[in-house]
Every structure is written in C-alpha cells, then in structure tokens.
Amino acid sequence: MAEDDRCARIYAAVRRVPKGRVATYGQIARLAGLPGRARLVGKALGALKDASVPWHRIVNAAGKISGRSEADSPREQRRRLEREGVRFTPAGRIDLEGYRFGAGADEGAESFRRFG
DNA sequence: CCTGTGACGTGCT
DNA sequence: AAGCACGCCACAG
C-alpha cells in the first residue's frame, strides 16, 4: 500500500469523527484499516494540509493533546475543541469516557443531534 | 542492505 | 499520576 493511500484512509477516518467528539490515534488507525499504527496517524496529521480534515479531534489515549509539529498547534487544537463544546479538565485532559467517538453510548443520539 | 534513531502512541506496572 | 517497555515506521548513515 502506498504511503499516500494510508494518508487518504486516515483522513477519511478522521472525517468520520463528529463535531463535539474526539478519537484517539489508535482508534483512527483502526478505523483506517491500519491497526497498531497509531504513530503513523500522528505523522499523517502532522503533514496535513487539507483544512477539511478535523485533525483537532484527535488526541492520545490519555485524552491529552500531543501536537509536536508546531508550537501553536496544541493551543489551536484545544481552542477548536472547546469551541465545539468539548470540556477540558483543569489538568488539560479530555474525559474520553464522555467524548470519545465510538464509545457506544449515545453514538446514535450524537449523529441525530446534528451540530452546526 | 543493515543499523541506529526519532516519533503528534499505547498499555501495563 | 508518572514511568517504562514495546511496537510500527520512515529516514539517514
């Protein structure tokens, strides 16, 4: 599989994450058909140029922002998430139990609610 | 071609 | 909550 194809799959997976929800790198990798390649997802997002991809909805398994590509990224990512209604803990963490995409619970209600 | 190293991670201790 | 070990991959030497 070519590298570009992986990126395309990854971007497609990221686009599936609804507004107001987040997903982990590992989860995106799985959705993209690339299980165990979470770090590749990070690289793909770092090389992202397409503004239509909601890269800010991707955080690590701890519910924290990684962003190493740019100094401004972490701050921008958090700002965007908060703008979508995602709450952060005082420690700068996101409650994955409540915001993680694919957590099962109100998945249907979420897509039904339709933000925007 | 093989080895070393860094990386937007993850799970276990 | 913090630290450690592991695993996958791309890139440089």
Side-chain angles (χ1 to χ4, degrees), chain A residues 67-111:
Chain A
R68 236 182 247 178
S69 60
E70 291 180 21
D72 283 345
S73 286
R75 209 180 35 169
E76 181 64 13
Q77 182 168 2
R78 172 164 178 163
R79 193 180 70 84
R80 288 185 182 223
L81 286 173
E82 290 181 318
R83 198 179 59 129
E84 296 183 351
V86 176
R87 304 262 226 100
F88 281 72
T89 70
R93 233 181 92 258
I94 297 173
D95 178 16
L96 289 180
E97 292 294 322
Y99 293 103
R100 187 178 179 225
F101 165 63
D106 47 343
E107 195 68 43
E110 207 53 54
S111 53

Side-chain angles (χ1 to χ4, degrees), chain A residues 17-85:
Chain A
V17 182
K19 194 174 182 182
R21 280 298 189 78
V22 299
T24 68
Y25 292 93
Q27 185 175 5
I28 290 300
R30 224 181 319 139
L31 281 175
L34 303 167
R37 284 152 216 190
R39 309 187 72 165
L40 210 52
V41 174
K43 275 228 161 150
L45 292 188
L48 222 182
K49 310 160 197 122
D50 192 334
S52 71
V53 180
W55 55 272
H56 58 278
R57 293 181 196 146
I58 311 306
V59 297
N60 59 28
K64 288 203 280 193
I65 294 172
S66 301
R68 236 182 247 178
S69 60
E70 291 180 21
D72 283 345
S73 286
R75 209 180 35 169
E76 181 64 13
Q77 182 168 2
R78 172 164 178 163
R79 193 180 70 84
R80 288 185 182 223
L81 286 173
E82 290 181 318
R83 198 179 59 129
E84 296 183 351

